[in-house]
Amino acid sequence: MFEEFPHSKVVFSPIKNYYFIRTVRWNREDPVVTRRDLEKMELEVNEFLGSIECYKQRKAYKSFVNH
């Protein structure tokens, strides 16, 4: 659960040495979750769990940062 989306459940799954969002069980009481929101959630969770450096090594992250 995230403060901006208190009624929606976000499910993470491990992949290699970091975590990514598997699914969001969105609730209509919350705002629509955007791709930017998903990226922010992944960053926060990986920072919290100490896997942020592995997360930042992803090809998708590198292309996101360069845009």
Side-chain angles (χ1 to χ4, degrees), residues 21-37:
I21 294 175
R22 182 175 182 164
T23 187
V24 177
R25 296 184 186 135
W26 181 70
N27 185 299
R28 292 177 191 237
E29 295 181 45
D30 290 342
V32 173
V33 179
T34 67
R35 178 67 198 147
R36 180 63 116 180
D37 295 324

Side-chain angles (χ1 to χ4, degrees), residues 18 35 39 42-43 52-67:
Y18 60 89
R35 178 67 198 147
E39 291 164 349
E42 287 179 347
L43 283 168
I52 192 67
E53 292 307 316
C54 293
Y55 180 81
K56 287 181 177 180
Q57 295 303 313
R58 298 174 26 225
K59 184 177 180 181
Y61 179 80
K62 291 176 183 178
S63 65
F64 170 72
V65 172
N66 292 327
H67 280 103

Side-chain angles (χ1 to χ4, degrees), residues 2 4-5 12 21 34-47 55 64:
F2 287 83
E4 299 89 359
F5 308 97
F12 286 83
I21 294 175
T34 67
R35 178 67 198 147
R36 180 63 116 180
D37 295 324
L38 297 174
E39 291 164 349
K40 182 180 171 188
M41 291 176 199
E42 287 179 347
L43 283 168
E44 289 177 10
V45 164
N46 282 288
E47 181 74 39
Y55 180 81
F64 170 72

Side-chain angles (χ1 to χ4, degrees), residues 11-22 46 49 51:
V11 178
F12 286 83
S13 291
I15 183 169
K16 298 184 182 182
N17 296 318
Y18 60 89
Y19 293 83
F20 73 101
I21 294 175
R22 182 175 182 164
N46 282 288
L49 296 174
S51 53

